Amino acid sequence: MQLISPETIYRGDSAWEKALPQISKLTKIPLILGRSSHTLKLRNKIIRDLKNKNLNPCSANLYFDCCYEDISRIKNLILNNNHDSVIAAGGGKVLDTGKYIADCLNIPCITVPLSASTCAGWTALSNIYTKNGQFIKDVALSSCPKILVYDHEFIQTAPSRTLASGIADALAKWYESSITSSTIDDGLVQQAIQISRVLRDQLLINGEKAFKGEFVNNPSWRNTVDACGLTAGLVGGIGGEKCRTAAAHAIHNAITQIITPNKFLHGEIVGVGLLLQLRLEEIKNNNKLADQSTKQLLLLMKQLNLPTTIAQLGINVFEDNNLEKIADFTCRDKSEIHFLPFEIHKQDIVEVIANFEQQKIKI
């Protein structure tokens, strides 16, 4: 089954206002799901606008990431109050939670991304974590969201850090799918990979201008946020599971197993994983272009103030057996690392990360 896209997508300025008539036909008692105090003002606006459409919305906040404790609590809240839809308004973890709960209860999900940090508002997939933020697994859902509202005015209110994170996560579509799926002769998969290549090029060209520029009259900003939140989702929708994640996301999932005082965004960790994946390609697959790709990617990441080492994520891999923990989780049986077209073993990860952290790559 090909789950390509949400049924309806509203994007651009005033997308929320344009979506309201259809939303009011779809639901009468929606639950507005959010989390961050930073987005509370926007979520209050959403509730006011829904009430003005004679709907009866209620709100609920997540306490943690997309975890089973929050999922169970919110599911019970929906069932006890007869909510007929979930409107998930926030970042990737909020969107993933809303999609998962709606799928479990067979009610519509409306996603309203409040940043460009991921393409979670688009996809039929939820990533499940522990309440401490440790990755557990991803879950394929039965459908993409019913409605996706990608309002540029909402996204403008997000911290610039979320856009940088979204750029890193979107770039992974090319670096991962091009190596895992390049030998597949399925036309749709090939087209998805080509879209991811154009996506990469646009982000390399426009990423810094979008990050450092103004919102108004800035085509680079508009194109970049659409690339992160929409095009990245389209690549996965067209390519399906054959446009797989690979080492970058496998390493991300492993790094989340180390609990640190400071929280880092999904794409910030994925970006470090991309640099490590390229080093693996260079060493294990004799990829002569990997070093050039690394320097190109590093330059952009520095322009976006993204972390470029695990140490910059607040983790010393040479303490507390952290390197072993990361390598073990990266190479577990069901890890995405095994989608690479060459064998990877635990010792490969140990050596690559140790060398990477000790000998910082120079531009």
Side-chain angles (χ1 to χ4, degrees):
M1 181 168 59
Q2 206 84 14
L3 304 174
I4 293 177
S5 74
E7 190 171 299
T8 307
I9 300 164
Y10 295 88
R11 73 174 177 117
D13 292 342
S14 302
W16 169 249
E17 282 73 20
K18 294 170 185 174
L20 276 170
Q22 184 175 351
I23 291 172
S24 63
K25 293 177 183 176
L26 180 67
T27 179
K28 298 303 176 188
I29 315 173
L31 178 77
I32 316 306
L33 185 65
R35 180 182 179 186
S36 169
S37 59
H38 180 85
T39 64
L40 181 59
K41 184 177 179 180
L42 283 178
R43 286 184 279 125
N44 285 339
K45 169 184 167 50
I46 287 171
I47 290 171
R48 287 195 306 271
D49 290 346
L50 293 171
K51 287 181 176 179
N52 288 337
K53 287 288 184 178
N54 297 317
L55 305 185
N56 187 23
C58 293
S59 65
N61 286 350
L62 299 181
Y63 296 150
F64 308 106
D65 289 333
C66 182
C67 67
Y68 286 120
E69 290 86 349
D70 267 342
I71 288 167
S72 177
R73 178 175 58 86
I74 301 298
K75 280 170 67 175
N76 289 333
L77 183 64
I78 290 172
L79 291 170
N80 291 338
N81 292 282
N82 296 314
H83 292 293
D84 58 0
S85 72
V86 177
I87 299 179
K93 303 294 190 351
V94 171
L95 301 171
D96 274 1
T97 307
K99 291 185 299 182
Y100 183 88
I101 292 170
D103 195 69
C104 290
L105 299 179
N106 196 29
I107 58 177
C109 181
I110 299 161
T111 51
V112 187
L114 301 183
S115 76
S117 60
T118 73
C119 61
W122 182 291
T123 60
L125 189 75
S126 289
N127 292 319
I128 309 296
Y129 296 81
T130 70
K131 66 180 183 180
N132 293 318
Q134 298 159 300
F135 176 86
I136 299 175
K137 64 178 181 178
D138 53 47
V139 178
L141 307 176
S142 62
S143 69
C144 296
K146 189 78 171 176
I147 299 173
L148 165 58
V149 183
Y150 202 71
D151 193 309
H152 288 179
E153 291 169 298
F154 286 2
I155 292 168
Q156 285 171 13
T157 67
S160 58
R161 177 186 175 189
T162 62
L163 178 57
S165 177
I167 291 170
D169 194 36
L171 282 167
K173 292 295 184 186
W174 161 256
Y175 290 103
E176 292 188 296
S177 68
S178 63
I179 189 169
T180 62
S181 305
S182 61
T183 61
I184 294 175
D185 60 5
D186 185 315
L188 280 180
V189 174
Q190 293 173 355
Q191 290 158 33
I193 295 171
Q194 291 300 329
I195 293 170
S196 74
R197 180 181 59 79
V198 176
L199 170 64
R200 177 206 63 184
D201 291 348
Q202 286 188 334
L203 292 174
L204 289 173
I205 293 167
N206 293 320
E208 183 185 10
K209 296 176 186 175
F211 180 71
K212 295 180 178 178
E214 300 294 326
F215 305 129
V216 181
N217 297 322
N218 183 355
S220 292
W221 184 86
R222 293 196 305 272
N223 292 340
T224 299
V225 297
D226 283 350
C228 295
L230 303 179
T231 311
L234 177 63
V235 170
I238 294 176
E241 64 180 8
K242 293 177 182 176
C243 270
R244 294 182 184 276
T245 54
H249 276 81
I251 292 168
H252 161 277
N253 297 340
I255 289 173
T256 67
Q257 304 307 306
I258 313 298
I259 299 172
T260 60
N262 298 319
K263 293 280 287 182
F264 284 87
L265 300 176
H266 173 80
E268 291 174 330
I269 306 174
V270 168
V272 175
L274 281 174
L275 296 174
L276 287 164
Q277 176 180 309
L278 287 167
R279 182 52 60 92
L280 283 170
E281 291 182 47
E282 183 180 1
I283 295 171
K284 296 289 292 182
N285 204 36
N286 198 29
N287 182 349
K288 303 300 184 184
L289 297 178
D291 183 61
Q292 181 180 338
S293 296
T294 298
K295 291 177 179 177
Q296 184 182 42
L297 185 58
L298 256 176
L299 180 60
L300 177 63
M301 291 175 69
K302 289 181 180 295
Q303 291 167 340
L304 301 180
N305 297 329
L306 285 165
T308 57
T309 65
I310 297 176
Q312 290 175 10
L313 296 171
I315 298 170
N316 184 339
V317 298
F318 304 110
E319 293 180 352
D320 301 323
N321 207 33
N322 286 335
L323 185 51
E324 292 287 321
K325 292 174 187 175
I326 291 170
D328 279 336
F329 198 88
T330 299
C331 295
R332 73 196 194 285
D333 286 345
K334 295 183 178 180
S335 171
E336 298 89 340
I337 197 82
H338 303 302
F339 297 146
L340 291 173
F342 48 89
E343 283 194 17
I344 291 290
H345 303 286
K346 176 183 171 181
Q347 191 57 32
D348 298 322
I349 301 299
V350 168
E351 291 175 3
V352 164
I353 291 178
N355 291 332
F356 183 81
E357 293 294 301
Q358 290 170 330
Q359 305 169 17
K360 293 184 175 62
I361 301 169
K362 304 296 183 183
I363 297 179

